[in-house]
Amino acid sequence: MTAPTVPHGTPKLSVRPALGAVFPRFSPAALIPAPSAPVGWHPPAPPTAPPCSSARVFLAVLSRDVHVTGKELVAFLAQNMIQPFFFLFIFAKVLDGAGFVSAGYGEIMLAGLIALNAFFGALHAVAFPLVMDFAWTREIDDRLLAPMPIHLVAVEKMVFGALRGLIAAVLMVPIGLLMLPSVSWPVGGWAPAVLCTVLGAVLGGTMGLAIGTLVPPRRINVLFALIFAPLMFTGCVQFPWYSLSAERWFQVLCAVNPLTYVSEGIRAVLVPSVPHLQYGLCIVVTVVAIVVSGWAGIHGFLRRALD
């Protein structure tokens, strides 16, 4: 072996060969010949995951939210049932027993509370979490990374809120019937009442999406005072719309609130003896309100998600 030549003026230490270059490291595997592949043979392609449609992802995200609600059942019941329960107890039991309200007021109140639970149960389930998701927790980022279009994420929020509102409305029925045993609803009005309740829950989900994307996070502390309370007390929950003829300005204000048409629609088929708005009118106005608020909510969601 000949030593490497050193250019003139170069220190010898800088050209010292590495030990691995002079003495190659021996490996026993080098003595085993590599197996030869048969002619025409190709390695199998790696397995690919089955395609996942947007519908399956949508249902998976929705089922996850429903599962979380089931684990938080006590909080869900407390949020959606305590206030309507005390409304019905005070107005229909205490005041009725004291003679301050007329007999049969419980039927009027119960129909309005079913609409209230459907609407606000859905609205609360969408509006407050959405404001926090876009502000502090940023949990919405996980949803936006799901393999489905962004607008379907917004639709999933609305559908989930509508399911919560519908459950809250259904739970109000046995409570009201146990508290007011004199209530008697016509059997023919059950199916129309269910349809109006479902539309009320969908309306609450769409309005919750619109409010949750339009209200800035720093204004969440005034969300209830400026939005929720006026919606509640102008929605004809505690009184029929025609009974406001003496206060014409307030009657017009209640006519602007879409919750009025949900309350009056349920009251029209469950308590038909009380003066009420036409059921068909209530359905049409509710559907129009769903379309308008849903369009505004989806566009607001897309704007906030893409910012």
Side-chain angles (χ1 to χ4, degrees), residues 2 19 24 32 38 54 71 109 124 131 144 156 196 224 234 242 256 275 279 291 294:
T2 61
L19 293 178
I32 303 175
S54 298
K71 295 180 65 175
M109 184 77 175
H124 280 150
V131 171
L144 297 177
E156 189 274 334
C196 201
F224 182 85
T234 60
Y242 277 111
V256 179
Y279 179 78
V291 173

Side-chain angles (χ1 to χ4, degrees), residues 283-299:
I283 294 297
V284 171
V285 174
T286 304
V287 171
V288 171
I290 289 173
V291 173
V292 173
S293 58
W295 177 86
I298 291 177
H299 277 260

Side-chain angles (χ1 to χ4, degrees), residues 220-233:
I220 191 174
N221 55 340
V222 297
L223 191 62
F224 182 85
L226 296 181
I227 298 178
F228 291 162
L231 283 175
M232 180 187 302
F233 291 106

Side-chain angles (χ1 to χ4, degrees), residues 17 23 41 66 87 119 142 168 206 218 244 257 303:
F23 304 102
W41 180 85
V66 173
F87 264 130
F119 181 80
D142 297 337
T206 56
R218 62 181 179 275
L244 304 174
N257 187 351
R303 176 180 53 83

Side-chain angles (χ1 to χ4, degrees), residues 17-206:
L19 293 178
V22 179
F23 304 102
R25 182 172 296 178
F26 173 76
S27 174
L31 300 178
I32 303 175
S36 60
V39 179
W41 180 85
H42 299 283
T48 58
C52 190
S53 63
S54 298
R56 292 181 59 185
V57 178
F58 180 90
L59 293 177
V61 175
L62 182 62
S63 63
R64 183 258 181 192
D65 287 338
V66 173
H67 177 71
V68 172
T69 301
K71 295 180 65 175
E72 300 174 351
L73 184 60
V74 176
F76 168 74
L77 295 176
Q79 180 183 6
N80 293 278
M81 304 308 299
I82 290 180
Q83 180 176 319
F85 170 80
F86 278 102
F87 264 130
L88 190 64
F89 178 73
I90 296 298
F91 285 95
K93 292 291 290 185
V94 176
L95 296 183
D96 186 20
F100 290 103
V101 296
S102 61
Y105 178 72
E107 288 185 314
I108 299 174
M109 184 77 175
L110 180 57
L113 289 177
I114 293 174
L116 178 72
N117 271 23
F119 181 80
F120 274 98
L123 193 147
H124 280 150
V126 179
F128 275 114
L130 199 58
V131 171
M132 291 185 292
D133 287 349
F134 277 120
W136 303 295
T137 63
R138 296 301 304 180
E139 184 181 349
I140 198 66
D141 292 340
D142 297 337
R143 308 296 181 88
L144 297 177
L145 294 175
M148 64 178 176
I150 296 179
H151 70 273
L152 284 184
V153 180
V155 173
E156 189 274 334
K157 288 283 186 181
M158 292 188 294
V159 173
F160 171 65
L163 288 176
R164 284 179 59 118
L166 187 60
I167 293 173
V170 170
L171 291 177
M172 192 65 211
V173 174
I175 294 176
L177 295 179
L178 289 175
M179 192 178 299
L180 306 171
S182 61
V183 171
S184 177
W185 290 336
V187 178
W190 293 359
V194 170
L195 173 61
C196 201
T197 303
V198 171
L199 292 178
V202 175
L203 176 63
T206 56

